[in-house]
Amino acid sequence: GVIRADGVGTGLKSWKAAAAEMSRRGQIAIDRIVALRSSVLPIYVLIRPDGCVTTADEVAEDGNDFLTTRMSGDQISFQSIRGDYLSTEGDQICTRRYCSANERFTVEKQDTQYAFRSRSGKYLSVNDRAPFVALADTAGDTEVFQLFSLMMCGVNVGQQLEQLDRTGCV
């Protein structure tokens, strides 16, 4: 099964609900497993099995198109299920098998949505033509994203992973 870009399907939980649940003490709290969707274009950011970063109008319900996040202060990294990190090395969108400064983005919350600023100060951006994922100098409409949590059988998988990391059990 698939989830369309309009969010229809059983595997997504709205970013509003996820943000409300994850909000604690005014810190930016983002779920551990998310689909990264443009706020203005009906597309998701994907890391393909070959490590290529692209977009699609739907994500697979099996979770393989979702990204694992790691927060460190106000910075975030995005990792595919296959272990590739979204990277901005050399001001180009690519993937790396490790996480360094080029694979971390500063999170800028814009209302209930997010912009992601790279080490160089440029913003993660999506386009409806190649290159589909790039960097932009400023955070306009195509640089703002919604995050959808991975839900399976009514369970927020990212929250379960977070609890497992914290306590050693679910």
Side-chain angles (χ1 to χ4, degrees):
V2 295
I3 308 284
R4 297 191 322 247
D6 59 11
V8 173
T10 59
L12 294 179
K13 180 178 191 177
S14 82
W15 51 270
K16 283 183 183 176
E21 283 181 17
M22 299 285 297
S23 181
R24 49 186 179 258
R25 294 186 304 276
Q27 297 174 336
I28 294 175
I30 293 176
D31 209 350
R32 285 287 299 276
I33 302 177
V34 299
L36 189 59
R37 182 187 185 275
S38 169
S39 291
V40 294
L41 298 173
I43 54 177
Y44 294 92
V45 174
L46 304 180
I47 299 176
R48 293 195 317 222
D50 65 2
C52 179
V53 180
T54 190
T55 59
D57 61 358
E58 52 192 30
V59 292
E61 284 185 25
D62 63 8
N64 288 332
D65 291 336
F66 283 73
L67 302 172
T68 301
T69 64
R70 295 270 182 196
M71 290 292 299
S72 178
D74 65 347
Q75 292 192 322
I76 192 170
S77 63
F78 297 101
Q79 185 180 29
S80 75
I81 194 169
R82 290 160 294 282
D84 295 309
Y85 286 92
L86 183 63
S87 179
T88 61
E89 193 168 309
D91 267 353
Q92 299 294 315
I93 296 295
C94 57
T95 56
R96 293 287 177 256
R97 296 296 289 181
Y98 53 83
C99 185
S100 69
N102 289 320
E103 291 72 43
R104 288 191 292 272
F105 298 84
T106 300
V107 178
E108 294 184 6
K109 192 167 183 186
Q110 299 189 1
D111 295 320
T112 56
Q113 299 170 48
Y114 303 91
F116 302 103
R117 187 169 32 90
S118 71
R119 174 184 189 184
S120 70
K122 294 184 178 182
Y123 291 85
L124 187 64
S125 178
V126 292
N127 303 295
D128 55 3
R129 59 189 176 285
F132 298 106
V133 184
L135 293 174
D137 292 332
T138 59
D141 289 345
T142 57
E143 290 73 41
V144 179
F145 296 88
Q146 300 171 339
L147 302 176
F148 290 92
S149 301
L150 176 61
M151 300 291 290
M152 291 192 161
C153 301
V155 174
N156 181 319
V157 178
Q159 285 181 347
Q160 296 299 308
L161 183 60
E162 183 74 31
Q163 183 177 339
L164 184 62
D165 279 352
R166 229 180 20 257
T167 66
C169 63
V170 177

